[in-house]
Amino acid sequence: MNGLQKVVALTVLLVFPFVSVAVFVGPIDTPVLQGGTATLRCSNSDFSGGVRQWREEGKTTFADQNGIFVGDTFTKYQDFQISAPSATQIDLIIPSAKVADEGTYECEMTPDKGSAVFTVEIQGSTPIITVDGDSSGSPIILTEDVETTLRCTATGYRPAVNLEWYMNNVKITTGVSEDSPIGSGDTFETSGTLTMTPTKDDNEGSLECRTTGQQVVPDQIGSLSLNVQFKPRVKVTYEFTTSTILCSADANPVTSIQYVIFLNDTAQTPGQSLPFNNAEYGCTRVKCDVTNSVGTGTDTRSEELCPEPSTTTEMPTTGATTMSPTTTSKPTTTMKGEIAPQVNAAVIAVAVIIPIVVLVVIILIVICFKQRKFCFAPSKTGSGGTILKKQPSASNADMIRNQPEVRQSVHKYDDEPKKPRIPRSSTGNSKKQPGNDAAPRQSGGSPVEGNRGSPVEGNRGYPAENPDGRNQDGGGQGGVNYADLEFQNRQGDPNGHGQIHYPEEEPTQYASILV
């Protein structure tokens, strides 16, 4: 029964489970591990009589429901067995399978027959991975960036197997090739190669060679770890807390590795660390070379190392005594371009405070200009150095009149200033009245004694009035009168504003006040 017939028969059984249908079930291809037992099944539920037998393809029948035939012709099958538990079944049993038992066997049950291939599998040795014929074991030594060809050999397999390569359980599809199998007796040998250029990342990786193509025998795996050697990866750093240059490296192998630190291209004593506290070098280029059996790796610091700056403060000297310069606390600036956190904090504080102060000053200036007070003292001089005169306001007339050091004179207000008049007496005389303060001031001194305090009674309320209410006519004119006040600044004495003005700084000043 071929495959199609089997499918049809199975479908009928599923669709019509309660209908009895004649079904022939012939043998199927059967592999077996050498030395194992295999059973080739054959049955026909509709068999009612006829032929029930086994034969090998191209050869004569060697068994029926009664068993294996005997004779020299049937020597190959003498170990075979027939199982016929019922009239509808006849099975062939092959115990202790060997390669000689392989073949295509056919079962016939009238009117149907079917055939199957019987094979014997042999498990070979574990595949071996070698490099240039070296199979010294795992790990296998490779060199970074050097192309390498690895070979895998699987021997003693039946049937011949195929080979596949894996790196860390990931199948490799590039750089793979396979030779034709070579037979040796009942088994075959298969070889294949993998060409790869290992990298540092492949170090300590797991490389596998797997066999494929057998059904009974599981895939066999040959594996090893990789020892990929590479020149040092170098890193040079500076440890600020200990003022030490440090050199580190990632390398394989690490045996016989050598570290050399260079200052301004001058090699120092070999070692991984070097104190850097000698100011004689100034700003210094720092480089580190590390060498192993593969090669030399190097690293140069991106910035030069500079001595730690220091500031000194000279103490003042007194007489012959000389004080030693005292070193002030140095900012913790260690290397060029690298400032300690506290210095950074100070710079940040200054950068914040200064703009705030400037902003406050600007606000105060704006307020002063708007209020027009308390901002700027008036200038004493104008352009060209001319001394400006202070002009008292009319609202302060009473205050000015009552100040000491003031001499009053009254005249008729008109376009041109006139000399002060002396008020006439009630009799019309121009004669100076006793106590009259209109006397001229003395040069360089104070007004006459009679001028201190308030004017005499006869001069108050100028122009003077007669008892009958008329103005005095002793030359005086009616109308509005003003008092010219002359400030006499005396050296060393405060004027009416409470400030000292010297004669050469501020001359006599005048103000006209309505009285």
Side-chain angles (χ1 to χ4, degrees):
M1 180 182 289
N2 57 32
L4 180 59
Q5 291 174 326
K6 294 178 181 178
V7 172
V8 173
L10 182 60
T11 303
V12 171
L13 288 175
L14 294 175
V15 176
F16 305 102
F18 304 106
V19 177
S20 178
V21 179
V23 175
F24 174 78
V25 179
I28 59 175
D29 294 345
T30 303
V32 65
L33 183 62
Q34 179 175 279
T37 298
T39 299
L40 303 180
R41 300 190 180 278
C42 183
S43 65
N44 187 348
S45 61
D46 197 35
F47 180 75
S48 60
V51 176
R52 288 188 297 168
Q53 60 186 14
W54 284 91
R55 71 169 58 93
E56 186 175 0
E57 185 178 31
K59 298 181 180 180
T60 185
T61 301
F62 63 84
D64 60 14
Q65 68 273 12
N66 297 313
I68 304 299
F69 301 159
V70 297
D72 295 339
T73 306
F74 310 108
T75 303
K76 173 182 178 181
Y77 315 107
Q78 293 305 302
D79 294 333
F80 291 6
Q81 299 172 8
I82 294 296
S83 174
S86 68
T88 60
Q89 181 176 352
I90 182 172
D91 298 334
L92 176 64
I93 301 174
I94 306 175
S96 302
K98 50 187 178 294
V99 174
D101 296 335
E102 290 184 337
T104 301
Y105 296 91
E106 180 184 85
C107 172
E108 180 180 358
M109 292 186 72
T110 305
D112 300 309
K113 59 183 177 182
S115 61
V117 176
F118 175 71
T119 57
V120 176
E121 293 185 356
I122 298 176
Q123 179 176 324
S125 61
T126 301
I128 298 175
I129 302 174
T130 61
V131 177
D132 298 328
D134 179 11
S135 59
S136 57
S138 180
I140 193 167
I141 297 176
L142 305 178
T143 303
E144 181 185 27
D145 296 333
V146 176
E147 184 178 272
T148 304
T149 299
L150 300 97
R151 177 171 290 275
C152 176
T153 303
T155 304
Y157 288 83
R158 184 179 181 88
V161 294
N162 299 112
L163 302 176
E164 292 180 349
W165 295 85
Y166 289 82
M167 174 69 77
N168 297 326
N169 291 321
V170 177
K171 186 176 180 179
I172 301 173
T173 58
T174 59
V176 175
S177 65
E178 187 174 306
D179 302 334
S180 298
I182 301 174
S184 176
D186 294 333
T187 60
F188 297 87
E189 176 182 291
T190 303
S191 294
T193 60
L194 169 65
T195 301
M196 64 177 296
T197 302
T199 66
K200 175 181 177 294
D201 293 337
D202 295 326
N203 186 42
E204 298 183 353
S206 177
L207 182 66
E208 294 179 348
C209 175
R210 301 179 183 178
T211 64
T212 63
Q214 293 184 308
Q215 300 180 57
V216 178
V217 178
D219 293 347
Q220 300 299 296
I221 301 174
S223 65
L224 51 76
S225 60
L226 301 182
N227 181 359
V228 180
Q229 298 186 346
F230 53 91
K231 68 180 182 180
R233 268 68 166 171
V234 184
K235 182 65 177 178
V236 60
T237 58
Y238 182 76
E239 180 59 50
F240 293 100
T241 57
T242 59
S243 300
T244 304
I245 299 172
L246 300 176
C247 187
S248 59
D250 180 15
N252 183 31
V254 295
T255 56
S256 303
I257 194 169
Q258 184 178 35
Y259 295 81
V260 178
I261 296 175
F262 292 80
L263 300 181
N264 290 332
D265 299 326
T266 301
Q268 307 301 305
T269 302
Q272 280 189 265
S273 63
L274 178 70
F276 184 78
N277 53 13
N278 192 345
E280 67 177 284
Y281 289 101
C283 290
T284 305
R285 295 186 306 278
V286 177
K287 183 181 73 168
C288 179
D289 285 354
V290 182
T291 304
N292 67 357
S293 60
V294 179
T296 299
T298 186
D299 182 47
T300 301
R301 196 171 186 274
S302 59
E303 294 183 356
E304 294 182 343
L305 287 179
C306 296
E308 182 177 356
S310 61
T311 56
T312 58
T313 302
E314 294 289 341
M315 299 298 292
T317 58
T318 303
T321 303
T322 302
M323 301 296 292
S324 300
T326 302
T327 301
T328 62
S329 59
K330 295 178 287 185
T332 52
T333 302
T334 53
M335 288 298 148
K336 182 179 180 181
E338 302 176 45
I339 303 178
Q342 56 266 38
V343 178
N344 285 333
V347 173
I348 293 174
V350 172
V352 172
I353 292 174
I354 290 179
I356 293 176
V357 172
V358 172
L359 180 61
V360 171
V361 172
I362 292 175
I363 293 175
L364 292 177
I365 292 175
V366 172
I367 293 174
C368 288
F369 272 112
K370 288 186 176 182
Q371 298 295 328
R372 300 180 178 276
K373 60 182 178 178
F374 306 123
C375 290
F376 304 99
S379 174
K380 292 181 180 181
T381 60
S383 60
T386 304
I387 299 175
L388 301 179
K389 294 182 179 182
K390 297 180 180 178
Q391 301 296 331
S393 63
S395 62
N396 296 327
D398 290 339
M399 177 189 72
I400 298 172
R401 293 181 58 179
N402 293 328
Q403 295 293 323
E405 309 296 328
V406 175
R407 182 179 64 204
Q408 304 180 31
S409 64
V410 181
H411 63 83
K412 176 69 177 180
Y413 181 82
D414 53 15
D415 293 338
E416 296 295 335
K418 298 178 181 181
K419 294 182 179 180
R421 296 173 178 268
I422 299 176
R424 296 176 181 271
S425 67
S426 61
T427 58
N429 295 328
S430 60
K431 192 174 178 180
K432 177 182 176 183
Q433 300 297 323
N436 191 346
D437 292 336
R441 64 186 176 92
Q442 298 177 1
S443 175
S446 303
V448 294
E449 187 65 22
N451 195 30
R452 294 184 183 275
S454 302
V456 294
E457 185 68 25
N459 195 28
R460 184 174 301 167
Y462 180 84
E465 298 179 354
N466 288 323
D468 56 4
R470 293 179 293 105
N471 293 337
Q472 294 184 154
D473 58 351
Q477 301 179 13
V480 179
N481 289 272
Y482 289 79
D484 289 339
L485 305 183
E486 178 179 350
F487 290 79
Q488 176 65 43
N489 294 322
R490 295 167 54 190
Q491 183 173 0
D493 293 336
N495 64 5
H497 298 285
Q499 298 178 353
I500 297 176
H501 293 273
Y502 296 94
E504 64 274 10
E505 293 180 352
E506 186 173 0
T508 302
Q509 301 181 26
Y510 291 86
S512 294
I513 301 174
L514 180 64
V515 296

